[in-house]
Amino acid sequence: MRFLSVLLLIAGAAIGIFYPWAMSNFSGNAIGTYRVYESGRFRPVTVQLAAGDAPVRVLVDLTARAERVAGQQRTVLTLTAASGGRTALASALSFNHTDTPRQASPQLLPDKIFRDEAGVIDRVTPGPYVFAVGPGDADGIDMRAVDLILRAGTGSIDERAQPAGYTLMGVGLAGLVLSLVFGRRGGGRPQNPNSQPPPPRWGRNGSPRA
């Protein structure tokens, strides 16, 4: 039972955690990374996209002090993508689900890099796309830099993956705990009283003869 529980934990982590992370960060081909905020200024970027790039996954990296971003419930950044005067994507980014931000650099120890997904452009009309990133309504965010990351031909994440993975992890963890609890209570197999010879009997009442 313990071995099966460990397998369920590993499978749940792979489906619920590693699979969505890998699909978001590594599926498809990189179009490019563009600096949209630096030295206190936001600036839009224009990227030429082709129909074959679809679907295009839009990611945003925020470099800021970790204590200001962690647990943030308000919108930190907003993003819009437009082509031919029509909005292709609009998103509000809070970065509050980033559990393990990356270290920015040894010179900027208080700063971390937080990544959030703005969304996916499913259909691409060939031509220039203007990506504009701006501040949200969160206060006190000491931003160092903001980068826009575009990936082409990315696979879509099955929405059932995370709930299924977390369920498997819960079942595996419960089974592991139960196996440990019952293993301690059992204390091993009971000893068979017939496995050892009876003590020697001497005399009528079982006491040694004088």
Side-chain angles (χ1 to χ4, degrees):
M1 180 179 179
R2 188 176 302 177
F3 178 71
L4 179 60
S5 299
V6 172
L7 286 181
L8 289 175
L9 274 173
I10 295 174
I15 296 173
I17 299 176
F18 179 75
Y19 162 71
W21 175 79
M23 289 294 290
S24 298
N25 293 278
F26 297 106
S27 64
N29 303 312
I31 297 176
T33 299
Y34 311 89
R35 180 62 52 91
V36 294
Y37 175 85
E38 194 173 34
S39 301
R41 288 177 34 183
F42 287 96
R43 59 173 179 267
V45 295
T46 302
V47 183
Q48 193 78 18
L49 297 180
D53 292 332
V56 176
R57 190 175 301 278
V58 182
L59 304 168
V60 177
D61 278 356
L62 167 66
T63 303
R65 290 183 177 273
E67 64 271 13
R68 296 291 187 178
V69 180
Q72 181 64 242
Q73 299 300 320
R74 295 187 176 183
T75 300
V76 177
L77 295 173
T78 61
L79 178 144
T80 59
S83 176
R86 301 180 62 181
T87 300
L89 180 67
S91 180
L93 308 172
S94 60
F95 301 90
N96 57 6
H97 62 276
T98 306
D99 298 327
T100 55
R102 308 192 310 273
Q103 179 66 52
S105 68
Q107 291 78 19
L108 301 173
L109 290 179
D111 295 335
K112 300 287 185 180
I113 300 176
F114 297 82
R115 171 167 291 188
D116 204 350
E117 180 177 334
V120 177
I121 303 175
D122 294 315
R123 296 181 180 179
V124 174
T125 302
Y129 278 71
V130 179
F131 294 85
V133 177
D137 57 1
D139 298 325
I141 305 297
D142 187 11
M143 290 182 287
R144 305 293 187 184
V146 178
D147 293 313
L148 172 73
I149 300 97
L150 302 179
R151 297 190 64 85
T154 58
S156 59
I157 301 174
D158 193 333
E159 296 181 354
R160 300 169 297 178
Q162 282 190 318
Y166 292 149
T167 300
L168 286 177
M169 291 174 64
V171 173
L173 182 60
L176 187 60
V177 171
L178 289 176
S179 66
L180 292 174
V181 170
F182 284 104
R184 291 179 179 178
R185 288 183 179 179
R189 294 182 178 178
Q191 189 175 7
N192 187 355
N194 298 324
S195 62
Q196 295 191 11
R201 298 173 58 88
W202 300 95
R204 182 176 300 176
N205 297 323
S207 57
R209 294 180 180 178

